[in-house]
Amino acid sequence: MLHSALADDLEVALASHDGLVTTAQLTELGFSSRAVSRAVATGRLAPLRRGVYADAAVHAAADPEERHVWRMRAEAAVAHKPLVFSHASAAALHGLPFIGDAPGRVHVVAETRSGSNSAGRCVHTTQSPVRPVVVEGLLVTSLERTVVDLALTASFAAALAAADRALALIDADTPAPLLETLESLQPTRGLRRALRVLRAADRRSGSAGESLSRARMIELGFEVPELQVRFDRPGGGVSFVDFFWRRQALIGEFDGLVKYSRSRELNGMSPAASVIAEKRREDELRRQVRGFERWTWDDAISPRRFGALLSDFGVPRA
């Protein structure tokens, strides 16, 4: 246990610095190296990197994307000059989705070589002006630049999910703003893969899982369906479906398996009532088409599994 005075000082320090403190700040408060080690051992502080600690309780409750932002803040706290975060790190601050695990290192960009890669930091050098923006107190590449960087370097699925979300955030009906940013960067590598991503981007994608599903359809050579198609309900009202292959009269839906348990998505209904309502909706839709299929994240993340599912469902090849 920490001495009560030190414990109170630590609470103040964490509150004053948004839950993050450095060794230098702790030393100023009178913490010895032993006291810091004790705070870590007792679960009060969580080490983010050498010389930087977070409020352990808050850090433990954070999701992977939020924890990555904590690591970005830790790197910024000890950097000798301001860092400009990029790629997946900038994506985390812009609220773009991740496909797969959060990156192990934070990503930064510089117009000239500024430091080297390390266990906690990946440095990208660019010949183009960066022109960063400030998000939550950190310097990051712009939303459009972030998406283009991902399109040039990330997997097709990860980049498409980011591009889909970005178009919704900037309220763009076409990928023109992203293509303009790509053109301004004049990349020498990855241009073809980036064009493939950006030309396929669609703001109508309703979730990262839907973007992943569409990415797999494109990669595997299946016909790309219409998105968010409206169906009138017999008793009144409408339903929008994730995917619709009109010529085959097939409906496909990505099921994240969370919408029946997250209270903010239930519109006041209990989980059981939500399941019943969704079953009724599905039955109504099935009567209007020739086929209806659901799949989960585990299905879509596996190319072989998802390809077999689409083939068995009757989705044609492009």
Side-chain angles (χ1 to χ4, degrees):
M1 296 288 291
L2 291 174
H3 186 277
S4 59
L6 282 181
D8 185 66
D9 287 343
L10 180 58
E11 292 289 339
V12 172
L14 289 170
S16 301
H17 297 88
D18 295 326
L20 181 149
V21 290
T22 64
T23 298
Q25 291 165 341
L26 292 171
T27 300
E28 289 179 3
L29 291 174
F31 277 75
S32 64
S33 58
R34 179 176 296 181
V36 173
S37 298
R38 190 179 306 120
V40 172
T42 57
R44 186 64 191 91
L45 291 177
L48 298 181
R49 57 150 294 152
R50 184 177 181 181
V52 186
Y53 303 87
D55 184 316
V58 177
H59 185 259
D63 61 31
E65 290 84 355
E66 291 169 334
R67 291 184 185 180
H68 187 74
V69 174
W70 280 86
R71 296 186 66 178
M72 293 165 62
R73 294 174 56 208
E75 289 291 330
V78 297
H80 297 301
K81 57 190 300 185
L83 299 177
V84 178
F85 295 97
S86 65
H87 296 76
S89 295
L93 270 183
H94 282 301
L96 301 179
F98 284 168
I99 299 293
D101 296 331
R105 296 185 294 175
V106 302
H107 291 260
V108 300
V109 64
E111 294 179 27
T112 57
R113 174 55 65 180
S114 177
S116 58
N117 294 335
S118 66
R121 190 186 305 176
C122 179
V123 180
H124 302 266
T125 303
T126 179
Q127 301 299 318
S128 305
V130 177
R131 301 189 183 93
V133 298
V134 179
V135 180
E136 296 184 19
L138 296 175
L139 291 173
V140 298
T141 49
S142 69
L143 177 64
E144 293 85 352
R145 173 70 184 265
T146 300
V147 171
V148 169
D149 283 339
L150 291 175
L152 289 165
T153 60
S155 70
F156 181 72
L160 185 63
D164 285 348
R165 179 60 181 155
L167 290 183
L169 290 173
I170 64 178
D171 196 23
D173 292 324
T174 73
L178 303 179
L179 291 167
E180 290 171 5
T181 301
L182 174 64
E183 183 178 4
S184 71
L185 296 180
Q186 298 183 331
T188 57
R189 302 176 65 180
L191 177 59
R192 182 175 297 180
R193 65 184 293 160
L195 286 171
R196 185 184 184 212
V197 170
L198 301 183
R199 288 169 176 167
D202 195 317
R203 64 173 294 172
R204 293 173 297 174
S205 180
S207 68
E210 291 176 34
S211 296
L212 168 63
S213 300
R214 197 170 86 262
R216 288 287 187 249
M217 294 171 195
I218 296 170
E219 289 177 313
L220 295 170
F222 287 95
E223 183 178 302
V224 178
E226 298 173 46
L227 307 183
Q228 302 302 323
V229 176
R230 169 178 169 154
F231 281 80
D232 293 324
R233 304 187 67 170
V238 297
S239 291
F240 289 87
V241 301
D242 298 341
F243 304 101
F244 183 50
W245 289 269
R246 190 174 297 275
R247 288 189 302 112
Q248 291 76 28
L250 301 176
I251 290 175
E253 298 226 308
F254 174 81
D255 192 342
L257 300 181
V258 295
K259 58 188 175 184
Y260 308 125
S261 61
R262 290 183 177 171
S263 59
R264 66 176 181 272
E265 298 177 358
L266 298 180
N267 296 319
M269 293 188 292
S270 68
S274 178
V275 170
I276 293 171
E278 179 58 28
K279 180 64 168 62
R280 183 178 297 114
R281 169 184 173 274
E282 181 176 322
D283 289 342
E284 292 173 352
L285 289 168
R286 284 182 180 277
R287 287 192 285 269
Q288 299 183 59
V289 295
R290 287 192 291 179
F292 186 108
E293 182 66 79
R294 290 185 180 277
W295 55 83
T296 67
W297 190 275
D298 287 342
D299 296 320
I301 203 69
S302 167
R304 179 177 298 179
R305 182 168 167 178
F306 195 49
L309 183 152
L310 294 177
S311 292
D312 291 344
F313 185 41
V315 176
R317 297 285 177 171

